[in-house]
Amino acid sequence: MKRVMIKTVNLTKKYGDFTAVKDLNLEVYEGEFFCLLGPNGAGKTTTFLMLLGLTRPTYGSAWIEDCDIIRNPLEARKRVGFVPEVPGLYDDLTARENLTFTAELNGVPKSVREKRIKDLLDKVDLKGWADVKVGKFSRGMKQRLAIADALIKEPKVLMLDEPTAGIDPKGSEEILSLLENLSRKEGITILMSSHLLHHVEKYGDRIAIMKKGEIVATGSISSLVKEENIVEIDLEGVDEALISELNRLDGVKEVERRGNKLIIVAQRDIRREVFDVASKIGKKVISVKLTQSLERIYAKYFREEEIR
Amino acid sequence: MRITPIIRKEVADHLSSRRFPLLIALVLLSGLATSYLGVQSIVKGPIKETEQTIAFLRLLTGSEETQIPSYVYFIGLFGPIVGIALSFDSVNREVSSGSMLKLLSNPIYRDSIILGKIIAGILIILLIVFSSTGIVTGFNILLAGFGPTIEGTFRIIYFAIASFLYIALWFSIGLLFSIVFRRTTTSALASLAVWVFFSIFIYLVADIIATEVAGLRYYFPEPPTSAKWLYYVTYDAVIRFSPQTLYSEVAGYILSPEILVIYFNPYGGFYLPSLKLRPLSLDESLSLVWPSFSTLIASFVIILTLSILIFLKMEVRPSWA
């Protein structure tokens, strides 16, 4: 059984009457690539700040590995590397100087510091940029350097707040591949917040969808999408009788009419039953399509425009 | 506490910034210029050995006969700018750039960060004050042809310590505002507003308060001596809230051993030497300045403590979140 690296129990943060995070219960396992999904204001950054011991929860508990973040935030921060959305590197220092400064703050012994910095710069593909001032770096390069900076203490957990925000698709892919390698090959637990669904779908092992400070859905991507089957049926003569019949089917959550099409949201694959019902009441079916998509789930919670 | 890397980085930041050469040039050039002009009016001919200390120290304070502003005057004027320039953006700039959040995510205490910044600032102020005072003193020796006695040297050292405290007090004010205000422009403006108030408006405010307390408006044509005395006492008490007044007192007493009592002229803002008996010894001068000296220290410590407490309690969130 895999070890739990991040655990929260009823973690809550209130600012006056406003609840930024409410009863957050989360378990992230060793070597897992876990994604927090949610729009701005969902409570993702506040969750990170609490997990880093930088803001005190109103109530609830959280642990990094076996370390209580409230009682011993310093020890917890030894185990966590953090990459904020804006990297926060010093533009007037070189890449090497930035990493050296962080290494000193983390008490990395001088004897291993130089080698570790060299290895990390190799790892994030900034080998030739060690002595260039960070102010000259592109956004993607800064983000990669920020990852190296977070890894200098050899953390067991890496937390990243929107690491691909504002970065071009190629740069984003590079960063996510790097994170995937860290998770798969080096066993580093990754907790990443993002709103880019295709990234999460491609790289994440499990996700939690946050809305107004609460987790509204959590699980592996495959299990989540299986719970949200969208059957799109194109047929001649859509009427209320057909909609009513479809609504009676087991597992159907929602039936929506769009011209000659019906969009059916169900907990399982109901294509065959849909076809049977339509045939039974004499409707000619032109096509039936099944969609299982994380994007649809996200849209459902945040009432965004449907994707398909 | 891993404070050394923070101190080292902050000192390096100050030394490599564009502000540092400007600040040191500001202090140094004003010192050298006033020395050059002052020496021509103060050292007009041969000076007796017994009077050399007083004459040498006057190169720093200026004399009553000349209208040339002195080195002490310029420190009093530019000191706040130096202090504020070193600190007005030291915290809020890091918060808005995101580096504070990254810094705090490391296993270090918050105290280390703020103390690192304070110690680095203090080291830079020490460097500016002692190097410029040393250079100006050396320049004065070259120009005057004689140097200070041992007692005179100690007076200059005490003057440098007072100058350091004065600039450090303004540094602490700038630091406090850089913690309280999120925008660097706001903290700079707030610091400058405090400086303008205590440099200019405090004298107007003191005059109004003292006039009302003494009831000078109700006496015509001439107020009685008791009312005048009450006016001066009140005025004197109010202007002592200004760091500039405290610094002028300390520098004046330490560098002018011939002055026994200092009164503040409400209409001119400068001290008037009264009884001239014998020059004061260094101990006597120090005991006279101690109340003002200790007030400078206390103000500096109180504002720094307040800054540290606010910083420890402040919620550092990414500005974009």
Side-chain angles (χ1 to χ4, degrees):
Chain A
M1 194 177 153
K2 278 192 168 180
R3 264 201 310 170
V4 176
M5 295 302 287
I6 302 170
K7 184 177 179 179
T8 68
V9 177
N10 296 331
L11 197 66
T12 301
K13 179 71 186 178
K14 289 183 178 181
Y15 295 100
D17 293 336
F18 174 71
T19 305
V21 176
K22 189 180 176 190
D23 293 326
L24 188 82
N25 291 296
L26 204 66
E27 280 193 355
V28 183
Y29 302 103
E30 190 173 22
E32 194 175 23
F33 196 139
F34 194 96
C35 300
L36 281 178
L37 268 176
N40 290 338
K44 304 184 301 281
T45 302
T46 306
T47 303
F48 281 128
L49 295 182
M50 284 194 283
L51 289 172
L52 287 163
L54 298 181
T55 187
R56 203 175 170 82
T58 309
Y59 59 84
S61 313
W63 295 265
I64 300 292
E65 211 176 6
D66 52 355
C67 181
D68 188 326
I69 57 120
I70 298 163
R71 288 186 186 162
N72 203 348
L74 224 59
E75 196 56 43
R77 287 203 287 270
K78 281 182 187 170
R79 296 156 198 222
V80 180
F82 178 58
V83 181
E85 184 180 340
V86 172
L89 298 158
Y90 295 104
D91 282 353
D92 50 345
L93 299 184
T94 65
R96 191 193 303 278
E97 286 165 345
N98 265 288
L99 295 187
T100 304
F101 178 58
T102 308
E104 285 174 346
L105 290 177
N106 284 278
V108 176
K110 217 172 178 178
S111 54
V112 296
R113 202 181 293 160
E114 276 308 305
K115 188 179 179 309
R116 199 178 290 178
I117 288 171
K118 188 180 167 295
D119 292 347
L120 281 170
L121 287 172
D122 281 356
K123 192 178 279 178
V124 298
D125 204 18
L126 289 172
K127 196 178 174 182
W129 296 82
D131 298 310
V132 177
K133 288 199 172 173
V134 170
K136 293 182 178 171
F137 283 21
S138 70
R139 180 79 199 262
M141 290 164 75
K142 280 185 184 177
Q143 202 61 274
R144 294 207 305 271
L145 184 62
I147 293 171
D149 193 81
L151 291 172
I152 198 96
K153 64 176 99 165
E154 296 187 329
K156 294 179 178 175
V157 176
L158 191 60
M159 293 186 195
L160 305 101
D161 193 4
E162 302 274 2
T164 55
I167 297 174
D168 61 84
K170 187 173 170 284
S172 299
E173 286 296 327
E174 285 170 1
I175 288 168
L176 291 164
S177 300
L178 172 67
L179 296 175
E180 191 184 31
N181 275 340
L182 291 170
S183 165
R184 308 274 181 267
K185 293 181 183 168
E186 299 186 26
I188 295 175
T189 306
I190 290 178
L191 177 63
M192 179 182 94
S193 75
S194 181
H195 59 265
L196 299 170
L197 301 175
H198 57 289
H199 286 163
V200 172
E201 235 169 348
K202 190 172 171 187
Y203 295 97
D205 295 323
R206 282 197 305 143
I207 62 163
I209 299 177
M210 287 188 82
K211 184 184 178 184
K212 291 180 181 172
E214 286 183 85
I215 290 185
V216 288
T218 185
S220 69
I221 290 160
S222 57
S223 69
L224 278 176
V225 295
K226 272 178 192 162
E227 286 175 16
E228 202 74 7
N229 294 266
I230 297 133
V231 177
E232 191 177 306
I233 176 166
D234 194 356
L235 71 173
E236 286 175 359
V238 175
D239 56 22
E240 286 307 312
L242 176 64
I243 294 172
S244 174
E245 282 296 317
L246 290 172
N247 264 321
R248 279 195 207 117
L249 289 175
D250 182 36
V252 169
K253 291 154 103 180
E254 190 183 328
V255 180
E256 189 189 332
R257 182 176 180 172
R258 284 188 193 169
N260 278 336
K261 279 184 183 175
L262 286 175
I263 310 292
I264 306 158
V265 181
Q267 286 171 324
R268 58 189 179 84
D269 183 358
I270 51 159
R271 278 177 295 179
R272 178 164 292 280
E273 287 102 311
V274 167
F275 190 82
D276 290 347
V277 168
S279 304
K280 203 172 103 185
I281 56 173
K283 302 290 179 192
K284 189 182 174 190
V285 177
I286 298 165
S287 68
V288 180
K289 193 168 77 178
L290 174 75
T291 311
Q292 291 177 316
S293 155
L294 187 60
E295 233 159 342
R296 176 63 185 78
I297 301 167
Y298 192 77
K300 179 188 130 190
Y301 287 112
F302 299 105
R303 302 207 177 280
E304 290 171 0
E305 193 185 345
E306 294 203 14
I307 309 302
R308 293 174 205 273
Chain B
M1 284 208 294
R2 293 200 184 100
I3 196 169
T4 322
I6 297 167
I7 298 173
R8 204 161 43 222
K9 188 195 162 293
E10 289 292 323
V11 168
D13 279 354
H14 284 306
L15 293 177
S16 61
S17 72
R18 286 177 190 162
R19 279 178 222 168
F20 182 73
L22 285 175
L23 293 175
I24 205 157
L26 187 73
V27 175
L28 203 53
L29 286 177
S30 57
L32 295 177
T34 52
S35 293
Y36 183 75
L37 295 169
V39 83
Q40 293 173 15
S41 56
I42 292 165
V43 189
K44 287 172 182 162
I47 294 174
K48 285 184 212 164
E49 210 172 312
T50 50
E51 290 172 3
Q52 280 185 358
T53 293
I54 291 171
F56 191 84
L57 295 175
R58 273 199 183 162
L59 291 173
L60 298 171
T61 58
S63 74
E64 293 151 37
E65 299 91 50
T66 61
Q67 294 300 311
I68 305 157
S70 65
Y71 180 57
V72 172
Y73 171 81
F74 276 116
I75 294 276
L77 188 70
F78 294 142
I81 296 175
V82 173
I84 290 168
L86 289 171
S87 65
F88 77 93
D89 62 349
S90 59
V91 172
N92 50 13
R93 182 172 44 91
E94 287 222 44
V95 172
S96 59
S97 73
S99 54
M100 184 60 79
L101 186 61
K102 192 179 80 70
L103 202 56
L104 288 169
S105 71
N106 289 296
I108 48 168
Y109 291 106
R110 277 193 179 204
D111 322 33
S112 309
I113 297 172
I114 193 73
L115 287 175
K117 284 181 181 291
I118 291 168
I119 294 168
I122 284 172
L123 289 174
I124 294 296
I125 295 168
L126 282 172
L127 180 71
I128 292 174
V129 169
F130 279 87
S131 62
S132 54
T133 305
I135 292 168
V136 168
T137 306
F139 191 62
N140 284 345
I141 294 171
L142 279 177
L143 291 177
F146 57 86
T149 57
I150 292 174
E151 190 194 300
T153 308
F154 274 107
R155 281 181 185 275
I156 292 170
I157 291 169
Y158 279 113
F159 157 70
I161 293 170
S163 303
F164 156 73
L165 273 173
Y166 175 61
I167 297 174
L169 174 60
W170 286 102
F171 170 84
S172 67
I173 291 170
L175 183 73
L176 176 67
F177 288 143
S178 86
I179 295 167
V180 171
F181 297 111
R182 281 213 139 192
R183 294 170 68 102
T184 53
T185 43
T186 315
S187 56
L189 283 173
S191 307
L192 290 174
V194 173
W195 172 53
V196 169
F197 177 79
F198 282 121
S199 304
I200 299 168
F201 293 112
I202 187 85
Y203 299 104
L204 302 174
V205 171
D207 185 42
I208 293 165
I209 293 172
T211 303
E212 289 303 315
V213 168
L216 288 190
R217 285 194 295 141
Y218 306 107
Y219 297 108
F220 187 81
E222 184 70 14
T225 312
S226 61
K228 281 184 182 172
W229 174 248
L230 186 59
Y231 172 87
Y232 284 119
V233 169
T234 312
Y235 182 87
D236 208 29
V238 174
I239 60 168
R240 277 201 165 83
F241 281 99
S242 164
Q244 205 163 353
T245 305
L246 297 172
Y247 173 70
S248 306
E249 269 188 19
V250 174
Y253 273 123
I254 290 177
L255 293 178
S256 307
E258 78 279 16
I259 298 172
L260 182 63
V261 180
I262 294 173
Y263 285 116
F264 283 92
N265 177 354
Y267 304 106
F270 292 101
Y271 57 77
L272 300 168
S274 64
L275 298 168
K276 289 195 177 183
L277 301 169
R278 59 171 174 80
L280 296 175
S281 70
L282 179 58
D283 285 347
E284 286 169 329
S285 294
L286 286 176
S287 65
L288 274 173
V289 299
W290 179 242
S292 303
F293 206 87
S294 56
T295 309
L296 276 177
I297 296 171
S299 313
F300 171 59
V301 171
I302 288 168
I303 296 171
L304 272 192
T305 310
L306 193 64
S307 306
I308 293 169
L309 289 176
I310 296 173
F311 181 77
L312 293 183
K313 292 278 175 195
M314 89 190 263
E315 167 119 359
V316 178
R317 284 187 72 83
S319 52
W320 52 92

